[in-house]
Amino acid sequence: MIYIAPSILAANYAALGEDVEKVPNADMLHVDIMDGHFVPNLSFGPDVTKAVNGVTDQFLDMHLMIEEPEQWFETYANAGGDRMIFHVEATNDHVAAAKQCRELGVQAGFAIKPGTPIEPYLDDLEHFEEVLVMSVEPGFGGQKFMPEVLSKVFTLRDHIRAAGLSTVIGIDGGIANSTIAQAAEAGVDAFVAGSAVFGADNPAEAVDTLRRMAKEAAGVA
Ligand code: DX5
Ligand code: ZN
């Protein structure tokens, strides 16, 4: 299954509701939460998340680029987040964090920075609905795609298949028409795209084009 997840980090915050309504054909929305500590930038928080949730029925993937993510799961679950994707670099016990998400009735995912190896986490994938492979250093939209992280996607794909799991492999950063095919070929299922969607004249068309290119490259209908 191929999923296209527009990142509202690249939307117009003065007209956020209107921008969200421009991508009714998205598979989910990607909500980037930055705390100015885990990453050197601030974005928005629970109130904006709640406002977005109020104008759409879309599934909200919460990308928590924050320290002590466990302290915030409940707040973001109450704000309408459907899946908490926290960074493995920000927690000491990613499996306990995943269990905490489940107890709150939301899905769990983990994100991994470009420089962090995936091997230490491979035996714990059963606890997560998604692994989000960062293809830029987290913190800012509009950066250049790092193809070297695709080796982690290959490893994840082989491991997930061999274990018979349904964990979704996501990729985040620099996804555009020029980069999506290589990620899809490597085995990515869920593609986050910020500037490539909200920077386009027609965001819905951009979503359709990205989905078509990903499907073609992955060889799926
Ligand atoms: C970066 C964020 C991304 C960002 C991607 O830290 O996690 O989700 O929105 O933006 P683009 O698609 O512009 O690289
Ligand atoms: Zn993100």
Side-chain angles (χ1 to χ4, degrees), residues 24-37:
N25 55 338
D27 298 293
M28 59 183 79
L29 291 178
H30 182 89
V31 184
D32 284 307
I33 306 295
M34 304 181 184
D35 67 353
H37 292 276

Side-chain angles (χ1 to χ4, degrees), residues 7 37 206 210:
S7 166
H37 292 276
L210 287 168

